[in-house]
Amino acid sequence: NHLLLYPTTGQVGPREGYEIPMDAAWQPVVINLESGIVWSPPVNASSTQACKRVYWSQKLGILITSETHDNIPTVSTYTYDGYKLASYPGTLLNVSPSKEKILLDNNILIDLRTNSRIMLTWNLEDDQGPFWEFYWTSDETRIYRCCYYYADLAKGINHRFSTFDYLDRQGNQ
């Protein structure tokens, strides 16, 4: 009985080399289809995720959003009608396919159903640049992160593969 929309709130002239104007901003809006009440979830305007700044968790009956609270990046959960349920300090990095788990600040996984937390100890210092690609198993007990990282959430372990871990059929690297 709710609808999440991303209307465009303006446009700017075309960038150099482009003929079409660019959308200036998307502001998510939630409409209660029974009461007609409309509200705008707070979002982190600097987010590079554009339209994916608010996540709808149908199983949990919540919305998940990135926002800034007192200059601190924060992830908050809200009811569909706009009541804040919880806040977690940190930058939202990834949301599981079921929208029941969130990954904050590269290494904190929070299960929103149980509020349990798992600290991932994968060391990202040796890699160049940010790695944003995450792949979840269908049961969401494991995460694979581009390009050489793996976490088994059920066992609470994570690992970084090296090229030495990969051998051909003859046992050669």
Side-chain angles (χ1 to χ4, degrees):
N1 63 357
H2 290 79
L3 186 62
L4 173 62
L5 301 172
Y6 289 92
T8 302
T9 57
Q11 288 187 332
V12 293
R15 293 186 303 179
E16 187 175 328
Y18 293 92
E19 297 178 18
I20 301 171
M22 303 295 293
D23 291 336
W26 296 275
Q27 176 60 51
V29 175
V30 179
I31 303 169
N32 183 320
L33 298 175
E34 292 177 2
S35 69
I37 295 174
V38 177
W39 70 284
S40 294
V43 292
N44 182 350
S46 66
S47 173
T48 59
Q49 298 174 347
C51 284
K52 295 184 179 181
R53 292 183 293 198
V54 176
Y55 297 87
W56 186 289
S57 176
Q58 186 174 3
K59 288 182 180 179
L60 299 179
I62 61 171
L63 298 175
I64 305 163
T65 185
S66 285
E67 55 187 324
T68 303
H69 182 70
D70 293 333
N71 292 325
I72 298 171
T74 305
V75 177
S76 297
T77 58
Y78 289 84
T79 66
Y80 295 156
D81 287 317
Y83 298 102
K84 186 183 277 192
L85 299 171
S87 289
Y88 306 93
T91 300
L92 182 62
L93 194 60
N94 196 260
V95 179
S96 71
S98 71
K99 312 296 186 277
E100 294 182 16
K101 296 177 177 85
I102 56 176
L103 183 61
L104 305 179
D105 294 335
N106 287 322
N107 64 349
I108 302 169
L109 184 112
I110 300 174
D111 184 325
L112 297 173
R113 181 179 298 280
T114 64
N115 202 31
S116 61
R117 296 167 193 241
I118 296 174
M119 294 297 295
L120 302 173
T121 57
W122 44 32
N123 184 355
L124 303 175
E125 293 176 13
D126 296 339
D127 290 317
Q128 300 296 320
F131 295 98
W132 303 108
E133 298 296 323
F134 291 89
Y135 306 94
W136 295 77
T137 56
S138 60
D139 63 359
E140 297 185 2
T141 58
R142 294 184 179 138
I143 305 173
Y144 299 90
R145 181 179 185 160
C146 180
C147 286
Y148 301 106
Y149 300 95
Y150 156 83
D152 185 323
L153 305 176
K155 295 180 181 176
I157 59 170
N158 49 86
H159 181 69
R160 180 179 191 269
F161 298 106
S162 73
T163 55
F164 299 109
D165 293 329
Y166 301 104
L167 303 176
D168 65 15
R169 290 183 181 171
Q170 287 76 35
N172 302 315
Q173 293 180 357

